[in-house]
């Protein structure tokens, strides 16, 4: 069974740029959630995708957007990057209707 | 929305002793409470979870208790070992399948002293 994978591992961007992060869900998991983890904090829920549609969203502005593809992989897009967007971005996959979420290793984004 | 408070922020125990981490939540509709362990530079790993229809759950040296009335839940680790050193996060959610996402506490840095 393949676990959750994310790419890239690290990324450096400048303010105002746009970034795309990628996630491949665990085998058989068709629900993907994205979280932002600032240094020294717990993860914060950004949104969840199920059946290629946004299924739930946390308190993040519209410049955070996502996609899910037919193979269940997902992208997180962030426009107009700000310094405060520097964080570890985690995706987690789960089976539909099941609470348990399994996390990927994360993408470390640094905004300069 | 849901708010999860976690204490203590740092916990140092002697190897072989027990460790207890406590969390409180605000939304009485929350019904799923997982605990994650995150080692430095690694992904959060689920170590145990509990649902609101259960008061206690054990898995070897790890146990979780839930008090729905008081809206708090705790992680208990017995016979601590050096590999237990990590940051532990509690979380809560109120929908089956997590469409509202997990709300995490700020984490507890557990240090096992040799």
């Amino acid at each position: 069974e393949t676990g959750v994978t994310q790419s890239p591992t690290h990324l450096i961007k400048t303010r105002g740029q746009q970034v795309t992060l990628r996630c491949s869900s665990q085998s058989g998991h068709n629900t993907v959630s994205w979280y932002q983890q600032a240094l020294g904090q717990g993860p914060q829920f950004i949104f969840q995708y199920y059946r290629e549609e946004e299924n739930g969203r946390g308190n993040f502005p519209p410049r955070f957007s996502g996609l899910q593809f037919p193979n269940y992989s997902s992208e997180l897009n962030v426009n107009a990057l700000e310094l405060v967007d520097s964080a570890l971005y985690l995706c987690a996959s789960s089976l539909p209707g099941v609470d348990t979420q399994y996390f990927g290793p994360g993408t470390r984004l640094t905004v300069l | 929305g849901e708010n999860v408070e976690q204490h203590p922020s740092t916990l140092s125990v002697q190897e072989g002793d027990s460790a207890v981490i406590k969390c409180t939540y605000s939304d009485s509709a929350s019904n799923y409470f997982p605990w994650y362990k995150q080692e430095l530079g690694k992904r959060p790993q689920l170590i145990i979870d509990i649902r609101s229809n259960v008061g206690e759950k054990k898995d070897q040296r790890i146990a979780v208790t839930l008090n729905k009335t008081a809206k708090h839940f705790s992680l208990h680790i017995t016979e601590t070992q050096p590999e237990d050193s990590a940051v532990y996060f509690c979380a809560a959610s109120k929908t089956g399948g997590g469409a509202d996402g997990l709300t995490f506490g700020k984490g507890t840095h557990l240090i096992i002293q040799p």
Side-chain angles (χ1 to χ4, degrees):
Chain A
E1 185 174 286
T2 307
V4 181
T5 60
Q6 292 185 243
S7 64
T9 306
H10 296 89
L11 205 51
I12 299 175
K13 292 285 188 179
T14 57
R15 278 184 302 173
Q17 285 189 312
Q18 178 266 341
V19 68
T20 297
L21 311 181
R22 296 177 176 82
C23 171
S24 291
S25 61
Q26 188 163 323
S27 177
H29 290 192
N30 60 3
T31 302
V32 175
S33 302
W34 286 91
Y35 292 82
Q36 180 194 68
Q37 186 177 22
L39 202 61
Q41 302 293 317
Q44 278 198 292
F45 175 64
I46 303 175
F47 45 55
Q48 182 184 85
Y49 275 81
Y50 171 62
R51 289 186 174 179
E52 302 176 47
E53 291 192 359
E54 188 178 293
N55 190 37
R57 189 178 185 95
N59 189 26
F60 279 81
R63 58 190 187 84
F64 286 77
S65 63
L67 285 173
Q68 187 180 31
F69 301 98
N71 66 353
Y72 308 145
S73 66
S74 177
E75 286 182 355
L76 164 65
N77 299 291
V78 187
N79 293 322
L81 284 167
E82 302 177 4
L83 297 179
V84 294
D85 296 333
S86 294
L88 180 68
Y89 288 85
L90 296 160
C91 78
S93 72
S94 56
L95 291 166
V98 176
D99 300 309
T100 308
Q101 297 188 24
Y102 297 92
F103 282 85
T107 294
R108 173 71 62 186
L109 173 65
T110 302
V111 182
L112 302 176
Chain B
E2 175 65 278
N3 183 50
V4 176
E5 300 282 344
Q6 183 171 349
H7 299 281
S9 57
T10 303
L11 178 60
S12 180
V13 301
Q14 290 294 125
E15 182 178 348
D17 287 350
S18 296
V20 180
I21 302 170
K22 299 181 179 182
C23 289
T24 60
Y25 61 99
S26 61
D27 191 339
S28 57
S30 289
N31 55 14
Y32 175 64
F33 308 93
W35 286 87
Y36 286 86
K37 174 185 180 183
Q38 188 174 30
E39 296 176 70
L40 190 62
K42 297 196 174 180
R43 73 186 73 197
Q45 285 195 300
L46 179 72
I47 56 172
I48 196 167
D49 56 12
I50 193 168
R51 288 167 177 79
S52 58
N53 58 346
V54 175
E56 184 175 358
K57 184 177 178 180
K58 287 183 181 179
D59 183 3
Q60 300 182 345
R61 297 187 296 110
I62 293 173
V64 58
T65 58
L66 171 64
N67 183 326
K68 284 193 299 182
T69 303
K71 288 190 281 191
H72 68 69
F73 55 114
S74 301
L75 177 71
H76 304 253
I77 305 174
T78 59
E79 301 173 8
T80 52
Q81 301 170 3
E83 53 265 36
D84 294 330
S85 293
V87 179
Y88 291 79
F89 292 98
C90 62
S93 71
K94 63 179 179 185
T95 59
D100 289 338
L102 294 169
T103 300
F104 284 83
K106 292 189 174 181
T108 296
H109 186 192
L110 178 61
I111 301 166
I112 308 300
Q113 301 279 6

